[in-house]
Amino acid sequence: MDDPDRVSAEMDKLSVMHAFRRIVERGSFARAADDLGVSAALLSRQVKLLEQSFGTTLLTRTTRSMSLTEAGQIYYDEAARILDNVAAVENRIRDGAGAVRGHLKVNASTSFGQTVIAPVLPSFLDAYPDLRLTLSLDDRVVDMVEGGFDVSIRIRPAMPDSALVTRKIGLMRQRIYAAPAYLERAGVPGKPDDIVNHRVIGFLLADHLTTWTLHGPLDAITLDLDPPVRVGNSLVLRDLLIAGQGIGTLTDFVSNEAVARGELVRVLPDYELPAPEIFAVTASRLGMDAKVTAFLDHLRAALRG
């Protein structure tokens, strides 16, 4: 029969490993303490006791920075491997039992979060009542590990090579739009080159802010532009277009409702920009667990619908 004190000690070791890993990945005792719901003083004591047990320093700390020693790097790498293996076993057991629980932390762009994710959240939460959810909306690319996110939804023409794991979950169309009132006032472009004579509203975070590559029936045409108005949020861009402020590009999940209401119309309907893809991004160490899988399955169903 197992010794209860020995079992408790082993569980404490896993807890300390988890705390140490979080401190390293968050780069701060205070941020790690917030994530774990404990005090920074407690984490500091745990690390000190851990260092005493090994007889060596694992973290070098100053008032402004923190870094791993060689021994600390070895402990971090092995602790992360052990914790990931334990998590994988637990997830396999939970998956087999059909259990989706725990705390799911999701990051997405503001426009995608408001127009696509938010409407499906009620049915998702109803399906998994034991799940805690944090949804963070940010139009800039965030650090997955530092932010402590399980999954980030990113919309890009392609994802750069990195240590992150990316999965394509959908495709968006990117087209040119303007309000009927603006086109009546400024004229309807008949060919791509006409765009340069119009007031272009640009999306600051887009790869095509100043260069539009338009794919048409026969070939691709590249336009060099200098948008006089530039915004960092595609919902704001959409609203400016609806208000008749100019011409701009929108993905279909942002433009669909405005088009259906007649507030926006397509410009140069035979042309569109390269279609951005929807990627689900996870940190390579974290992988895909039951709660991430459940969320992405729910999101895929919404995108197909």
Side-chain angles (χ1 to χ4, degrees):
M1 190 171 179
D2 288 334
D3 180 351
D5 291 337
R6 181 177 178 277
V7 173
S8 177
E10 293 301 321
M11 292 298 291
D12 287 346
K13 285 183 180 179
L14 288 177
S15 176
V16 171
M17 284 182 181
H18 181 60
F20 186 83
R21 178 181 183 178
R22 182 61 66 176
I23 292 165
V24 172
E25 292 180 348
R26 293 289 271 149
S28 161
F29 278 74
R31 288 195 291 267
D34 286 342
D35 288 352
L36 298 172
V38 299
S39 69
L42 174 61
L43 294 186
S44 181
R45 286 197 301 272
Q46 286 183 330
V47 171
K48 184 175 181 180
L49 290 172
L50 188 63
E51 290 175 331
Q52 289 175 351
S53 71
F54 287 131
T56 188
T57 301
L58 302 176
L59 287 171
T60 56
R61 286 166 277 174
T62 68
T63 55
R64 294 189 175 183
S65 66
M66 180 182 72
S67 61
L68 287 167
T69 64
E70 183 177 357
Q73 185 68 58
I74 293 171
Y75 183 78
Y76 167 77
D77 290 339
E78 289 302 309
R81 180 184 62 80
I82 291 168
L83 290 169
D84 286 343
N85 287 339
V86 171
V89 171
E90 292 176 343
N91 288 332
R92 286 179 61 187
I93 294 171
R94 290 193 187 105
D95 289 349
V100 177
R101 59 171 62 93
H103 188 182
L104 175 64
K105 298 183 70 176
V106 179
N107 167 261
S109 69
T110 303
S111 56
F112 190 83
Q114 290 184 1
T115 60
V116 179
I117 296 179
V120 303
L121 279 185
S123 58
F124 177 68
L125 296 173
D126 286 344
Y128 304 105
D130 295 330
L131 190 68
R132 295 178 59 207
L133 174 70
T134 296
L135 174 62
S136 174
L137 302 182
D138 193 322
D139 285 320
R140 296 189 179 276
V141 175
V142 300
D143 187 306
M144 292 273 306
V145 175
E146 183 178 345
F149 294 108
D150 297 297
V151 61
S152 178
I153 306 300
R154 299 181 184 173
I155 301 172
R156 303 173 62 90
M159 287 296 296
D161 292 334
S162 73
L164 299 175
V165 177
T166 62
R167 299 168 180 83
K168 296 177 185 177
I169 62 171
L171 185 70
M172 291 293 174
R173 311 299 291 271
Q174 184 122 257
R175 295 158 171 163
I176 310 169
Y177 295 94
Y182 171 81
L183 295 175
E184 184 177 347
R185 182 175 72 251
V188 178
K191 59 184 185 301
D193 288 343
D194 293 342
I195 294 289
V196 300
N197 299 317
H198 281 262
R199 180 179 171 87
V200 174
I201 312 295
F203 182 38
L204 273 173
L205 305 180
D207 295 332
H208 61 274
L209 174 63
T210 58
T211 303
W212 289 8
T213 300
L214 303 179
H215 294 267
L218 301 177
D219 53 13
I221 297 173
T222 299
L223 303 176
D224 292 322
L225 304 169
D226 182 20
V229 180
R230 309 178 183 199
V231 297
N233 181 285
S234 57
L235 296 179
V236 174
L237 193 156
R238 178 200 62 192
D239 291 346
L240 286 172
L241 296 181
I242 291 173
Q245 289 298 309
I247 286 177
T249 65
L250 295 171
T251 52
D252 47 10
F253 72 88
V254 174
S255 63
N256 281 344
E257 290 189 5
V259 171
R261 292 192 297 263
E263 296 170 332
L264 292 176
V265 296
R266 278 192 67 183
V267 175
L268 299 173
D270 291 333
Y271 292 86
E272 57 186 81
L273 283 82
E277 294 181 291
I278 308 170
F279 294 94
V281 184
T282 58
S284 57
R285 287 189 182 276
L286 298 177
M288 287 271 284
D289 62 11
K291 60 183 181 291
V292 174
T293 299
F295 175 75
L296 294 182
D297 286 348
H298 205 81
L299 189 55
R300 285 191 188 97
L303 291 171
R304 288 194 299 267

